[in-house]
Amino acid sequence: MEKEGTEMVEETEHMIVKNGAKDPQNAISASDSKEMRAVVLTGFGGLNKLKVTKKPMPEPQEGEVKIRVKACGLNFLDLMVRQGNIDNPPKTPLVPGFECSGIVESMGENASGFEIGDRVMAFVNYSAWAEVVCTPVDWVYKIPDEMTFPEAAAFCVNFVAAYMMLFEVANLREGMSVLVHSAGGGVGQAVTQLCATVPNVTIFGTASPFKHEAIRHYVTHLLDRNADYVAEVRKISPEGVDIVLDCLCGENTGKGLGLLKPLGTYILYGSSNMVTGETKSFFSFAKSWWQVEKVNPIKLYEENKVMAGFSLLSLLFKQGGCSQVKTAVQALLNLYNHKKIKPLVDSLWALEEVKEAMQRIHDRGNIGKLILDMEKSPTPLMANDSTETSEAGEEEEEQEGDNDNKERMPFIQ
Amino acid sequence: MEKEGTEMVEETEHMIVKNGAKDPQNAISASDSKEMRAVVLTGFGGLNKLKVTKKPMPEPQEGEVKIRVKACGLNFLDLMVRQGNIDNPPKTPLVPGFECSGIVESMGENASGFEIGDRVMAFVNYSAWAEVVCTPVDWVYKIPDEMTFPEAAAFCVNFVAAYMMLFEVANLREGMSVLVHSAGGGVGQAVTQLCATVPNVTIFGTASPFKHEAIRHYVTHLLDRNADYVAEVRKISPEGVDIVLDCLCGENTGKGLGLLKPLGTYILYGSSNMVTGETKSFFSFAKSWWQVEKVNPIKLYEENKVMAGFSLLSLLFKQGGCSQVKTAVQALLNLYNHKKIKPLVDSLWALEEVKEAMQRIHDRGNIGKLILDMEKSPTPLMANDSTETSEAGEEEEEQEGDNDNKERMPFIQ
């Protein structure tokens, strides 16, 4: 293990030199070991605010682990960050990204539990999209030998969110029913796989029709995302469902609460995959987000209902929930080791392809997770349909066209 | 068993004759076997609206069980019903009461699962406070041989509500903390006993100081019900608690949500014991009930919080939740058989003492459950302090005095 880790680190350093040389406008005079490549958001806005550039090599502070990154997860929240479309946005320039996998390169003071060369996955409070990341030791987890780095980069945010929502907030048990939107997205895939670990769970999942064939075996009742999902669910299950996982918000809060059986739980979730591939534009999303109706607790009392909100990144980065998250990660790795769950990677992208990757999420093209792969070089295949669409986030009107017929990219894993 | 049941039925019939003879103004010419004694609410209002009178003997309809009642539970909701202070109040005259215990006397068509003479407890959708009750077979449960009838009459509403809130809505687990108001009341006692079945649960409970000594061994941190409980909890646990069970509503919803740890659950509950002994007057209660602030789901999202409402009687009588309730009852009887829980009976009252019993709940005098005992005769001890207080529900101003020093009644079990 350690030997393999060391070799991989060397390979990666070699890549930096090579790629650095290809990018003269970002060249920095310091020696290569003092620098790394990273995606930088120069200001809030469209895709043109993203650049791949050299940054000073970070060193681990007290309690931190330094990781040589192999793969990073791309989440819908990253698109919102790019837009500055989040509560209390940080200052730009910044390096985006909340999760990565890689190899432990060194440890800061008072950081223990890892050896140099350990294969790990980690949460990062921004700055994940870089060749090297330093993050608190409590947010780092060893990964099984058979888990690939792209799988590991697809694991943390989506599976932990899905697990905590289903088993800690909603108390999923045998025989229950679950409605999940974007069943083909990162969280959607994690939700459906975790539901399958409980006997006799019925899953209602919305997705664009072109995804249905690919995800049919995960979902009991596949619904067209463009259809009236309330009516569709009622047709199949007049009494409603036990759990609604809502990443749409707005009027969907009322719809979701209305669909609950007695003692059912509605969860509004966001954090990472809030609306993966399921909003027509940022403008309409922001509108629905802020126009959500408030709920009277007495209504919940009269109807025996539960309304919850779940934000994994708030839990971890603002509320100190690292021990709760660690417990969930351990349970999930146990399920992975027993081959009950497996992250579904949609596609791998070079750092330089981050704009195309973001556009793919925006256009709802993905089935599973998009990964930035540090060892991948940009490919000419990138000059495809996704770059021809309007630039995500710069549009302010609803984009009426549907991308359901868009072909999936040729480099899908 | 059957023999004992038969004997007890005979004894009860003997009592009807005897008591009927004492109550000439309500004497009905029909033969005794066609009549029974019952508490009747003649109209919504104060205690003077309650009368013990003869009613025609009910016969079981299809799917119903006829029960010769031995004991009935008295809940705070019964006081609200008396006032007409509930959503969609039924028409008067009516027989109040939602739970009883007794002996199966006969079965309607298509009702199975019981034998004549079975000792049972049951939910009843009104009409429990009578010598004979007919109720759907799905709401009837056999009781263990060692469970007394008063215990059984104290079991259904309080323990099922507490169980479902803690284990189905809130997902109580090892190491969590719970805040419960009225820790000395019926639901409060059930909550604290059920919390003790889970390792390392910390219970914060509010109660009037005069009850503290009696319930000290059930509650980790006893708080004076007149103190600022938010500040008291924060002093002991600055990070808050995992579960808040609120029977107060109004501004307490915001306080309760504010006290939650991340992923914590606030439950507004009502049904039976909504405000047992914890409101100064019905007027102030109604005010706080309707003035509760609505909650924005996005706030729950940002703070990782769960807000729930729980009404057992809505679940059972309006929403068809009898199979969920039956599952809870089975789990609870299992805990009872293993001596993990035991209903705490505050006091036994004759039917004719229902006014004094209601006054006692209103004055927050009870520790545990008040029971109407069919075999109890009114006692001269009833002419005590509770009858000297203002009539519950007829006051419209806040009753400022506190009853903390009021002596407990001499007939406490």
Side-chain angles (χ1 to χ4, degrees), chain A residues 32-346:
Chain A
D32 288 329
S33 66
K34 302 280 186 198
E35 295 176 349
M36 61 163 189
R37 276 160 66 233
V39 174
V40 172
L41 181 69
T42 57
F44 298 118
L47 293 172
N48 61 346
K49 303 293 187 186
L50 292 165
K51 305 230 178 302
V52 177
T53 184
K54 291 257 178 169
K55 295 272 291 178
M57 177 66 68
E59 290 305 325
Q61 306 299 301
E62 188 175 342
E64 287 188 343
V65 179
K66 181 180 178 183
I67 299 167
R68 177 66 56 171
V69 175
K70 295 292 184 180
C72 313
L74 204 151
N75 294 298
F76 192 83
L77 184 61
D78 298 315
L79 278 73
M80 296 180 65
V81 168
R82 199 196 71 215
Q83 291 284 314
N85 207 352
I86 54 171
D87 199 31
N88 292 319
K91 284 191 180 158
T92 54
L94 60 82
V95 175
F98 297 106
E99 61 182 336
C100 66
S101 60
I103 291 166
V104 172
E105 196 161 282
S106 69
M107 307 281 287
E109 275 182 55
N110 298 319
S112 61
F114 295 93
E115 305 281 339
I116 292 170
D118 276 351
R119 300 173 77 241
V120 296
M121 59 189 178
F123 289 102
V124 195
N125 192 3
Y126 292 100
S127 299
W129 295 353
E131 285 178 321
V132 177
V133 152
C134 293
T135 197
V137 65
D138 284 339
W139 303 347
V140 183
Y141 319 95
K142 285 181 198 168
I143 60 174
D145 290 349
E146 60 272 32
M147 185 182 270
T148 66
F149 287 116
E151 277 182 348
F155 197 79
C156 281
V157 168
N158 291 162
F159 276 88
V160 171
Y163 182 91
M164 296 187 91
M165 287 196 288
L166 291 174
F167 297 112
E168 305 203 355
V169 178
N171 203 0
L172 176 67
R173 281 158 295 166
E174 185 169 350
M176 284 188 167
S177 51
V178 179
L179 169 66
V180 59
H181 297 292
S182 306
V187 167
Q189 274 301 299
V191 164
T192 55
Q193 291 188 27
L194 287 170
C195 284
T197 66
V198 177
N200 197 24
V201 169
T202 302
I203 307 171
F204 296 83
T206 69
S208 298
F210 83 95
K211 298 186 186 181
H212 283 202
E213 196 49 43
I215 63 174
R216 192 170 298 286
H217 61 291
Y218 293 110
V219 181
T220 321
H221 301 292
L222 262 170
L223 311 177
D224 183 346
R225 64 173 293 280
N226 300 308
D228 174 354
Y229 66 86
V230 172
E232 295 296 313
V233 170
R234 290 276 182 211
K235 259 190 234 167
I236 299 164
S237 175
E239 71 277 22
V241 295
D242 292 299
I243 299 171
V244 172
L245 303 177
D246 179 22
C247 53
L248 305 175
C249 203
E251 62 177 10
N252 296 283
T253 296
K255 288 183 182 176
L257 283 168
L259 264 180
L260 292 181
K261 288 184 190 176
L263 299 187
T265 302
Y266 163 89
I267 307 179
L268 176 67
Y269 68 97
S271 70
S272 53
N273 280 271
M274 205 141 43
V275 203
T276 301
E278 291 293 340
T279 183
K280 288 189 174 174
S281 77
F282 287 101
F283 182 72
S284 64
F285 168 70
K287 207 167 55 180
S288 70
W289 182 249
W290 296 113
Q291 283 182 347
V292 60
E293 247 187 81
K294 292 181 178 182
V295 174
N296 192 330
I298 293 168
K299 185 178 158 68
L300 299 179
Y301 163 74
E302 288 169 348
E303 298 182 357
N304 275 306
K305 289 181 176 177
V306 183
M307 178 171 79
F310 182 76
S311 165
L312 175 58
L313 299 188
S314 287
L315 179 67
L316 200 57
F317 300 145
K318 292 183 191 164
Q319 298 181 306
C322 58
S323 71
Q324 288 161 298
V325 170
K326 189 169 280 183
T327 303
V329 169
Q330 295 309 325
L332 286 163
L333 287 177
N334 190 41
L335 289 169
Y336 179 87
N337 288 331
H338 287 84
K339 303 201 189 306
K340 301 284 187 189
I341 57 174
K342 185 174 175 66
L344 182 70
V345 175
D346 173 75

Side-chain angles (χ1 to χ4, degrees), chain B residues 385-398:
Chain B
D385 58 357
S386 86
T387 59
E388 290 159 20
T389 61
S390 66
E391 190 159 284
E394 300 203 326
E395 52 186 329
E396 291 230 329
E397 292 164 304
E398 297 237 342

Side-chain angles (χ1 to χ4, degrees), chain A residues 271 289 295 298 301 304 311, chain B residues 271 289 295 298 301 304 307 311:
Chain A
S271 70
W289 182 249
V295 174
I298 293 168
Y301 163 74
N304 275 306
S311 165
Chain B
S271 70
W289 182 248
V295 175
I298 294 168
Y301 163 74
N304 275 305
M307 178 172 81
S311 164

Side-chain angles (χ1 to χ4, degrees), chain B residues 41-270:
Chain B
L41 182 67
T42 57
F44 298 117
L47 293 172
N48 60 348
K49 304 292 186 187
L50 292 165
K51 305 236 179 296
V52 177
T53 184
K54 291 257 179 169
K55 295 272 290 177
M57 177 67 66
E59 290 306 327
Q61 305 300 301
E62 187 176 343
E64 287 189 343
V65 179
K66 180 179 178 183
I67 299 166
R68 177 66 56 173
V69 175
K70 294 294 184 179
C72 312
L74 205 151
N75 294 297
F76 192 83
L77 184 60
D78 299 314
L79 278 74
M80 295 180 66
V81 168
R82 200 196 70 217
Q83 291 284 315
N85 208 352
I86 54 170
D87 199 30
N88 293 317
K91 286 190 179 158
T92 55
L94 61 83
V95 175
F98 296 105
E99 61 182 335
C100 67
S101 60
I103 292 166
V104 173
E105 196 161 283
S106 69
M107 307 280 288
E109 274 182 53
N110 297 321
S112 61
F114 295 93
E115 305 281 339
I116 292 169
D118 276 351
R119 301 172 77 241
V120 296
M121 59 188 177
F123 289 102
V124 196
N125 192 5
Y126 293 100
S127 299
W129 295 353
E131 285 177 323
V132 176
V133 153
C134 292
T135 197
V137 64
D138 284 340
W139 302 348
V140 183
Y141 319 94
K142 285 182 197 166
I143 60 174
D145 291 347
E146 61 271 32
M147 185 183 268
T148 67
F149 287 116
E151 276 182 347
F155 198 78
C156 280
V157 168
N158 292 162
F159 276 89
V160 172
Y163 182 90
M164 296 188 91
M165 288 196 287
L166 291 174
F167 297 113
E168 305 203 356
V169 178
N171 201 2
L172 177 67
R173 282 158 295 168
E174 184 170 350
M176 283 186 167
S177 51
V178 178
L179 168 66
V180 59
H181 297 292
S182 305
V187 167
Q189 274 300 299
V191 164
T192 55
Q193 290 188 29
L194 286 170
C195 284
T197 67
V198 177
N200 196 25
V201 169
T202 302
I203 307 171
F204 295 83
T206 68
S208 298
F210 83 95
K211 298 185 185 180
H212 283 202
E213 196 50 42
I215 63 174
R216 192 169 297 285
H217 61 293
Y218 293 109
V219 182
T220 322
H221 301 291
L222 263 170
L223 311 177
D224 183 346
R225 65 172 291 281
N226 299 309
D228 173 354
Y229 66 86
V230 173
E232 295 297 313
V233 171
R234 290 275 183 211
K235 258 190 235 169
I236 299 163
S237 174
E239 72 276 20
V241 296
D242 292 299
I243 299 171
V244 172
L245 303 177
D246 179 22
C247 54
L248 305 175
C249 202
E251 62 176 9
N252 296 283
T253 296
K255 286 182 183 178
L257 283 169
L259 264 180
L260 292 181
K261 289 183 189 176
L263 299 185
T265 302
Y266 164 89
I267 307 179
L268 176 66
Y269 69 97

